[in-house]
Amino acid sequence: MTPLDYDRTHIWHPYASLGNPPPVQFAKAASGVEIELMDGRRLVDAVSSWWCVAHGHNHPAIVEAVRRQSEKLCHVMFGGFTHEPAIALAEKLAAFAPPGLDRVFFADSGSISVEVAAKMAVQYQNALGHPERNKLVALKGGYHGDTSLCMALSDPDGMHTLFRGIMTRHFFAEKPAIPTWGEWDGADVESLRRVVSEHGDEIAAVICEPIFQAANAMNFYHPGYLREMREICDAHGILLIFDEIAAGCYRTGPRWAHTRAGVTPDIMTVGKALTGGHLTLAATLATAKVADTISNGAPSAFMHGPTYMANPLACAAACASLDLFAASDYEAKVRRIERQFAEGLASLRGRPNVRDVRVLGAAGVIEVERLPAPDDIARVIRAHGVWLRPFCNFIYAMPPLVSDASTVERIIAALVDLASAPPGPAVEGDFHE
Ligand SMILES: *Cc1c(COP(=O)(O)O)cnc(C)c1O
């Protein structure tokens, strides 16, 4: 049995069948914006390996930081211990985050950081004498992860409907409809307003992906939505959670997507690009008000603690990644990619099978009636040497933020080629990014 045969028969891949597995690329190594395959071919990673690889693969500074840390301390339980990489990272994160969000909980994945955010909100309300405030409000079209609480906060009509039986019911507002570049109209937030006024007594927090609803909708919405959301939360004593796992770290332009709105959340989650895509780590950041309220309640302890919490190798990687973000102008890098995408993809508007073309920051999205056939997708990837992973109705690219103009040019050519292919057969259950 070849290694690939073993893979096909024994290893689940994300959102894939093990009985009828889709083809996979066999990665051998990666550096910069490229992934090298076993057969020697190279693919430009136009997906940043699910939006993590901000500085490029195997960045020498991050690899070196992990190597050095590995010689001292690979892991120690965070219960009863602390260590330098965790303290250094907490300080760096507090400086990197919007003012006020300087209390940190380190989680081992994005989903866990969302679970932690929701538990913080519930424990906060409990400490204030409101144990009945144990539901959240989320937005249709959102995505917050794959664990059961995260599924329960993600688009109720999305990829997780099969698991409704094990999910708690939370409340949903309609998907924001006005685009980031559109003209604000308060009507967009009416449904959120209604949900909160009907169920406010049961609600601990509102959660959203600010500005950019990524994995479920590829939707860029208006900052006015977040401004009104903040007001609604304040008026009802409800906490506001921004999930910046996909949109943060400059993906949409500014360091944090929500900066466009000029408001700050009470709790914020950060993940994906935090380690520049080198190790798994996420963080839940909270204000002193949230932390102090929980601390003054009963129990005073915050009730969560994963085995690999604040893993030193991951913290060292994140420290090096944040140093890279601080050392050059990522906002300018992203603006250049945005301009190139906007110009390069404009010609696709109005083409057959193309519903919409939208660009924000280092994200270019072509919404189609139906994706091309798998053979056409494979052909485009091979012909251009560009790794794309379309899903649902979306052909898109979210390349490493360090991609230069010629890399972005190649990605655009691949996107245009793919969006020009005929629509393929309807597929069932083709959901995940
Ligand atoms: C990817 C993602 C998550 C989940 O992160 P994992 O590391 O995959 O658990 C949560 N929220 C958003 C917005 C994401 O894009």
Side-chain angles (χ1 to χ4, degrees), residues 59-77:
H59 192 287
I62 301 177
V63 171
E64 177 58 16
V66 172
R67 192 193 62 75
R68 256 187 288 132
Q69 181 57 40
S70 73
E71 289 171 356
K72 289 186 282 191
L73 177 68
C74 288
H75 187 64
V76 64
M77 61 193 287

Side-chain angles (χ1 to χ4, degrees), residues 12 145 185 248 254 257 420 430:
W12 265 292
D185 178 346
S420 309
D430 175 30

Side-chain angles (χ1 to χ4, degrees), residues 347-358:
S347 68
L348 290 171
R349 289 206 174 84
R351 293 264 189 100
N353 198 32
V354 172
R355 264 191 216 160
D356 191 22
V357 175
R358 37 189 193 263

Side-chain angles (χ1 to χ4, degrees), residues 353 368-380 390 392 394-395 415 417-425 427 430:
N353 198 32
V368 293
E369 298 292 339
R370 209 185 274 170
L371 288 186
D375 283 352
D376 276 320
I377 298 173
R379 173 185 59 77
V380 168
C392 290
F394 307 113
I395 294 170
L415 289 170
D417 195 357
L418 190 53
S420 309
V427 273
D430 175 30

Side-chain angles (χ1 to χ4, degrees), residues 20 62 100 108 137 141 151 179 188 197 202 224 226 249 256 263 281 309 344 362 383 408 431:
N20 179 24
I62 301 177
D108 37 10
V137 182
M151 288 194 295
D188 209 25
S197 66
E202 300 167 68
L226 301 179
C249 299
W256 306 111
V263 296
L281 184 72
M309 183 167 177
V408 177
F431 274 123

Side-chain angles (χ1 to χ4, degrees), residues 50-52 108-114 142-147 150 154 208-210 212-215 243-247 269 271-272 280-282 432-433:
W50 272 340
W51 326 337
C52 304
D108 37 10
S109 73
S111 299
I112 302 304
S113 72
V114 171
Y143 175 83
H144 297 287
D146 280 2
T147 57
C150 297
S154 299
C208 69
E209 297 160 274
F212 181 20
Q213 295 187 296
D243 178 353
E244 286 267 12
I245 291 170
T269 56
K272 292 206 161 93
T280 176
L281 184 72
H432 202 258
E433 78 278 16

